[in-house]
Amino acid sequence: MARMRLAHTLVLVATLASGGAGAANTDPDWPCIQRKVPQLSLGQIWNGPELPATAKDWAKDPGVSALVDAVAARRTPIAEAQKEIKDFATSLPPEQVAPKMTMLVQGMFDHMDAERSHVISGISRYAHKQLEMAAQLRKEASEVDALRAKADADPDDVERRTDQLNFATRIFHERVQSLTYVCDVPTIIEQRLYQLSKTVSETLVVKK
């Protein structure tokens, strides 16, 4: 039973780590079905007017910087984040709306693209660790099989090694499931950034 469970798990991780990534991915080590895009471009999430050079100074503006941190946090419901953006725009004098809101777009992009890239790097490290664990589990499974085949094997030793293998396999499988979830995070961040940027664009249209 332990051997069958291990074989199933190793097939799963092999699928995630190689073929399951799909033909669209050029990185053979990328474990996710989702296409690997290490960094986004501003044009992917912003369809408003071209941002001025001053937008890059968003971190120097306490109000904009604080809002970037607040709305970028995934624990904040998207509807609540959108409301915060609209309330911020409403609170501004008319002449400050465009400068501040374009700063906000740049700030959200810089913050969330960096977060997304960090997650992608973490996924790659996690996947490499999984492959190392898979190799170790294969080795341990072969050793347990060899031990079972010995006529003079100590039954207590066989049971102990089998229990250890079962436990390690269960941990490995739980990590595979976690990786499947984490693979969705870059897309979640990208979609959130697009939705928030669209909200900013709407405030600029209203304020014209």
Side-chain angles (χ1 to χ4, degrees):
M1 180 65 68
R3 182 67 173 176
M4 291 177 62
R5 187 186 311 165
L6 176 60
H8 171 75
T9 305
L10 296 183
V11 167
L12 177 58
V13 77
T15 299
L16 290 171
S18 55
N25 285 319
T26 57
D27 185 348
D29 294 328
W30 181 244
C32 303
I33 295 174
Q34 297 86 341
R35 182 170 176 265
K36 182 180 181 181
V37 181
Q39 290 184 309
L40 299 174
S41 67
L42 187 62
Q44 289 176 264
I45 58 92
W46 177 245
N47 56 8
E50 182 177 355
L51 302 186
T54 53
K56 295 184 180 297
D57 294 331
W58 64 270
K60 299 177 182 178
D61 187 299
V64 172
S65 180
L67 186 57
V68 167
D69 289 339
V71 301
R74 279 175 283 138
R75 64 179 177 274
T76 304
I78 188 68
E80 182 179 326
Q82 291 172 320
K83 183 178 184 303
E84 288 190 43
I85 289 173
K86 293 175 183 177
D87 289 346
F88 179 73
T90 301
S91 71
L92 296 171
E95 69 276 7
Q96 291 187 17
V97 172
K100 298 281 189 179
M101 300 310 284
T102 52
M103 277 187 177
L104 179 60
V105 172
Q106 186 69 60
M108 292 191 304
F109 176 80
D110 291 348
H111 185 290
M112 298 174 75
D113 186 46
E115 178 190 8
R116 183 179 172 281
S117 295
H118 179 74
V119 170
I120 288 173
S121 296
I123 289 173
S124 296
R125 291 192 299 270
Y126 195 99
H128 280 294
K129 180 64 176 178
Q130 283 295 92
L131 292 176
E132 292 173 1
M133 290 179 66
Q136 182 61 31
L137 284 173
R138 290 190 187 98
K139 179 175 179 292
E140 292 177 5
S142 295
E143 292 175 355
V144 170
D145 280 349
L147 182 61
R148 287 174 181 156
K150 291 183 178 179
D152 60 346
D154 182 349
D156 291 339
D157 189 31
V158 172
E159 182 178 2
R160 178 182 60 80
R161 294 285 298 274
T162 300
D163 288 344
Q164 290 176 343
L165 180 60
N166 287 341
F167 179 76
T169 302
R170 185 167 66 252
I171 295 300
F172 179 83
H173 184 74
E174 290 173 357
R175 285 175 58 89
V176 170
Q177 296 302 316
S178 296
L179 180 59
T180 302
Y181 166 76
V182 172
C183 280
D184 289 332
V185 175
T187 300
I188 291 171
I189 295 174
E190 182 179 349
Q191 291 173 343
R192 183 181 183 88
L193 177 56
Y194 175 78
Q195 289 176 291
L196 296 179
S197 297
K198 184 178 179 182
T199 300
V200 173
S201 178
E202 291 169 354
T203 67
L204 291 175
V205 172
V206 169
K207 289 290 183 178
K208 283 183 179 181

